[in-house]
Amino acid sequence: MSAVTRKAFKRVLFPQLRLSPISAGQKVEALDGIRGLAILAVLCYHCTSFFPLGWVGVDLFFVLSGFLLTNILLQRRQESGYFRSFYAKRALRILPLYALILWAACIFSVIYATELPHISYFFFLQNVSTALANAFPGNTHHLNHLWSIAVEEQFYLILPLAVYFLAARNYLLFLFALLVTALLSRSLLFWEGNLGYYVLLTSRMDALAFGSLAALLLQHHREVLNRWTLPLLYASAGILLVAVLTEGPGYDNPYLATAGYTLFALLFSCLLTVSLSTHPRNAVRQLFRTRTLRALGKYSFGLYIYHWPLFRLFTDPLKHHLKGYIPGQYLSLSVALLLAATTAIVTLLSYHLVEVRFLRLKKKVARKASGSADLEPTGSIKV
């Protein structure tokens, strides 16, 4: 191996960290790239058979969400209108597309005389209904993916209160309690055979907590991140690799479904931290700043909302109508590509016709709620 190759490997595997706090209005392009990687993993998992570990994209979303929101809340803790501003922005970010997909599901149910969406969807409690029934609510399988939205919305009820009322030391203890609770809850529910191990907030909040911990350490204890990020990244990756090779990449792998989800959260929080380093030779940061990943990140929410209903509803009908025109060995791939293109078009239309309007309104509402100059992030820190 040449000296140049060795240097390249060292640059990729052992990047020098240069970390600094992220201000509320600072543009961090790498975070859009991380969001893009997360949605790419989910799309590959749901829509193809090429990436059976792609379900971890949801965990990456959780880690990123915990990091972004905690970073913003920590900086705005002393502002007037702290709670009003936060919840107004969350509503304007999540509710428009969420309400749109529920409205479309209701129209579909009426037209085709199928079951209406379960009432729990309208209160962000579909994950609780899933755990209680040990099955996803009703027969509306095209809405099953919305369990993760419920997890985040439920966590948003807790996070602002904890950041506001707890000092840094107590907040660390709070996050540690969340991590332990998630590990115990998930393990117990998994061994009982209850789907709650996968969909309940109490089982998945370790990912959100690790993201929140990264934000807290970035602001107050960067020396801890500088020292431990890379060792923990490689340690967690190594253990997870053994678990996957032993029992497979499925989310029901007993090693992954217990301690493994926590290790994925640790791995992703470390990866996120490395991406924030502004060292000019940080290859990880450069990867996440690529145009493709950033574009996917920009439209990730719409892609996540729309892809599952489109694939669930139209895969079989399209295969039925196209099987006489496309050779069998190419049929599944052709249908997947067609629906992927359809998802992209629907997402683009939705973003520019719906989302953008509410994202603009979010700044105005937040300014009115806080009674001060709006500090809503303008770049990748925007959530």
Side-chain angles (χ1 to χ4, degrees):
M1 183 180 295
S2 67
V4 174
T5 304
R6 285 197 300 272
K7 287 183 179 179
F9 271 105
K10 183 177 180 180
R11 174 184 167 190
V12 172
L13 296 178
F14 300 98
Q16 298 182 32
L17 300 186
R18 183 185 294 171
L19 300 170
S20 58
I22 301 175
S23 62
Q26 182 178 345
K27 186 177 180 63
V28 186
E29 294 177 338
L31 296 183
D32 268 342
I34 290 178
R35 189 182 286 110
L37 177 63
I39 190 60
L40 182 62
V42 171
L43 290 173
C44 289
Y45 176 71
H46 278 164
C47 308
T48 73
S49 58
F50 299 141
F51 191 33
L53 196 61
W55 56 269
V56 301
V58 172
D59 294 85
L60 183 52
F61 273 127
F62 286 160
V63 170
L64 182 59
S65 180
F67 174 83
L68 291 171
L69 292 176
T70 302
N71 185 75
I72 292 173
L73 289 171
L74 286 171
Q75 296 181 52
R76 299 181 177 178
R77 185 178 174 186
Q78 303 302 324
E79 292 182 10
S80 61
Y82 167 88
F83 290 104
R84 286 178 296 166
S85 177
F86 175 82
Y87 289 117
K89 290 177 181 180
R90 287 297 85 217
L92 289 170
R93 182 68 186 100
I94 300 297
L95 290 182
L97 257 61
Y98 188 83
L100 182 61
I101 198 66
L102 287 185
W103 175 79
C106 290
I107 297 299
F108 178 88
S109 298
V110 170
I111 293 176
Y112 292 97
T114 61
E115 186 175 351
L116 288 168
H118 193 273
I119 190 172
S120 61
Y121 282 104
F122 297 91
F123 298 95
F124 296 105
L125 292 172
Q126 58 267 34
N127 59 333
V128 177
S129 296
T130 299
L132 291 175
N134 202 20
F136 284 98
N139 294 318
T140 50
H141 299 301
H142 49 285
L143 299 179
N144 286 356
H145 65 311
L146 297 181
W147 70 267
S148 63
I149 306 297
V151 168
E152 291 203 6
E153 290 301 293
Q154 291 159 15
F155 187 71
Y156 296 158
L157 297 177
I158 304 171
L159 182 64
L161 294 170
V163 171
Y164 188 81
F165 289 108
L166 298 179
R169 179 182 178 86
N170 291 332
Y171 189 69
L172 281 173
L173 295 175
F174 168 74
L175 293 178
F176 179 75
L178 294 187
L179 294 173
V180 174
T181 300
L183 182 58
L184 294 176
S185 171
R186 187 169 58 245
S187 299
L188 178 62
L189 289 168
F190 177 77
W191 292 117
E192 289 184 349
N194 189 289
L195 276 173
Y197 82 89
Y198 190 70
V199 300
L200 283 179
L201 171 64
T202 53
S203 302
R204 304 306 297 270
M205 59 189 178
D206 45 355
L208 291 152
F210 262 117
S212 185
L213 177 62
L216 182 67
L217 294 177
L218 184 66
Q219 289 209 18
H220 299 292
H221 300 285
R222 287 187 296 282
E223 70 282 357
V224 175
L225 293 178
N226 286 324
R227 181 176 182 180
W228 291 105
T229 294
L230 289 177
L232 290 175
L233 187 152
Y234 289 122
S236 57
I239 297 172
L240 287 168
L241 179 61
V242 173
V244 169
L245 293 177
T246 302
E247 292 289 340
Y251 64 85
D252 56 351
N253 174 330
Y255 298 124
L256 298 183
T258 50
Y261 288 13
T262 301
L263 287 174
F264 271 121
L266 174 60
L267 171 66
F268 292 147
S269 63
C270 291
L271 184 66
L272 185 152
T273 301
V274 173
S275 75
L276 295 176
S277 172
T278 58
H279 194 281
R281 293 185 177 180
N282 183 354
V284 174
R285 178 169 173 262
Q286 293 173 5
L287 170 65
F288 288 125
R289 294 176 69 190
T290 56
R291 184 173 299 178
T292 301
L293 284 179
R294 285 166 51 203
L296 284 170
K298 179 179 179 179
Y299 300 107
S300 59
F301 187 47
L303 289 171
Y304 186 80
I305 290 292
Y306 297 123
H307 83 281
W308 184 248
L310 289 173
F311 273 81
R312 287 289 299 185
L313 293 174
F314 297 110
T315 294
D316 289 340
L318 282 174
K319 284 184 177 180
H320 175 74
H321 289 292
L322 295 177
K323 64 181 180 181
Y325 303 95
I326 299 176
Q329 64 269 33
Y330 302 115
L331 182 60
S332 294
L333 178 60
S334 299
V335 169
L337 291 174
L338 179 60
L339 288 175
T342 303
T343 301
I345 293 172
V346 171
T347 299
L348 286 170
L349 291 173
S350 172
Y351 182 85
H352 292 287
L353 296 178
V354 179
E355 282 189 80
V356 166
R357 299 174 185 271
F358 287 95
L359 292 176
R360 291 171 182 166
L361 180 62
K362 185 171 70 169
K363 294 184 178 182
K364 298 179 181 179
V365 171
R367 186 183 299 114
K368 183 178 180 180
S370 64
S372 61
D374 180 50
L375 296 177
E376 177 63 24
T378 58
S380 299
I381 199 72
K382 181 170 65 178
V383 293

